[in-house]
Amino acid sequence: MSSPHILILGAPGAGKGTQSANIVDEFGVEHVTTGDALRSNKEMDISDMEFEYDTPGEYMDAGDLVPDAVVNAIVEEALSTADGYVLDGYPRNLEQAEELADMTDLDLVLYLDVDRSELLDRLTGRRVCEDCGANYHVKYNQPETEGVCDECGGELVQREDDTEEAAENRLDVFEENTLPVVEYYEDTDEFVAVDGEQTPDEVWTDVRAAIEAATE
């Protein structure tokens, strides 16, 4: 079996990171995220594109959004060197979905389908250790002592982008920009929707079955 080309889609809080890690472990593919791809190509020479800056890193250091054309080029580079991948966090809009179609052939488009109220529960309940970055949840993954990290004893805090207002905003952005991407793939043979409200193990059972069916 050749290494699969997988796109994973889902709102913030749907569990893409957890399932991507499972896919990497089970199928030996690379986890390609826009954030990682940008960080590992910070010094890429984009001076020929005639943008404000000559490298992606300069945009990141200035806190500015990296232009779509630069993100597209970086994702294309990452996919071209990967022997199988799970792509996570791209495409974020229809223009990028059309770019991706020119870059690569997908074996499977996975969509982790989770209701908005459940997503809000997951996002606003998340707590992160200030010292070591370990993740917890007030409902689903509680530490042994409330507010204290099991790993290192650090204080658990709510990240700024996990407050209710920020979480609502992140979901609004997803629904406006990325939900049309889900609809773009929905009518294709490669599309599989998975019930993301199951337990992580149950979701993984469905995800693995979908990958095996797509790569037979």
Side-chain angles (χ1 to χ4, degrees):
M1 181 180 85
S2 62
S3 297
H5 293 181
I6 301 161
L7 170 62
I8 191 164
L9 298 169
K16 296 189 302 296
T18 300
Q19 298 307 330
S20 294
N22 289 339
I23 293 168
V24 168
D25 288 346
E26 178 83 11
F27 294 95
V29 297
E30 283 186 44
H31 185 198
V32 177
T33 73
T34 37
D36 289 345
L38 281 167
R39 281 187 286 276
S40 56
N41 287 279
K42 280 181 77 167
E43 303 310 317
M44 180 178 176
D45 182 2
I46 55 169
S47 55
D48 60 327
M49 292 186 176
E50 298 183 358
F51 285 121
E52 184 179 354
Y53 299 116
D54 292 334
T55 66
E58 289 172 74
Y59 281 96
M60 295 156 80
D61 292 343
D64 291 344
L65 276 176
V66 180
D68 263 8
V70 178
V71 176
N72 296 342
I74 285 173
V75 169
E76 184 164 18
E77 173 70 19
L79 296 183
S80 69
T81 58
D83 178 26
Y85 56 79
V86 54
L87 177 58
D88 170 9
Y90 179 100
R92 288 182 188 271
N93 55 49
L94 281 175
E95 291 77 15
Q96 289 182 343
E98 286 159 3
E99 286 285 336
L100 183 61
D102 293 333
M103 287 181 208
T104 189
D105 292 320
L106 295 168
D107 296 311
L108 180 65
V109 178
L110 281 169
Y111 174 50
L112 303 183
D113 192 8
V114 181
D115 188 73
R116 185 178 175 115
S117 61
E118 171 69 16
L119 292 167
L120 277 172
D121 256 8
R122 292 182 183 183
L123 292 171
T124 56
R126 185 158 53 183
R127 299 292 181 269
V128 180
C129 175
E130 272 198 314
D131 295 334
C132 76
N135 275 283
Y136 296 88
H137 195 280
V138 295
K139 194 153 99 180
Y140 306 115
N141 181 23
Q142 298 168 342
E144 287 178 22
T145 306
E146 187 178 343
V148 179
C149 178
D150 293 344
E151 304 291 326
C152 75
E155 183 184 356
L156 302 185
V157 298
Q158 185 180 49
R159 295 189 327 189
E160 277 184 23
D161 61 353
D162 289 337
T163 63
E164 183 139 6
E165 186 182 358
E168 290 270 18
N169 184 50
R170 289 169 70 195
L171 294 178
D172 287 344
V173 168
F174 172 81
E175 287 174 9
E176 188 178 330
N177 296 322
T178 312
L179 213 47
V181 174
V182 176
E183 289 160 1
Y184 171 88
Y185 288 113
E186 234 167 357
D187 294 331
T188 67
D189 293 341
E190 292 77 30
F191 184 85
V192 176
V194 171
D195 178 2
E197 295 189 27
Q198 308 175 93
T199 67
D201 286 347
E202 289 168 336
V203 174
W204 171 234
T205 298
D206 288 353
V207 166
R208 186 173 54 200
I211 296 169
E212 287 169 351
T215 53
E216 277 175 351

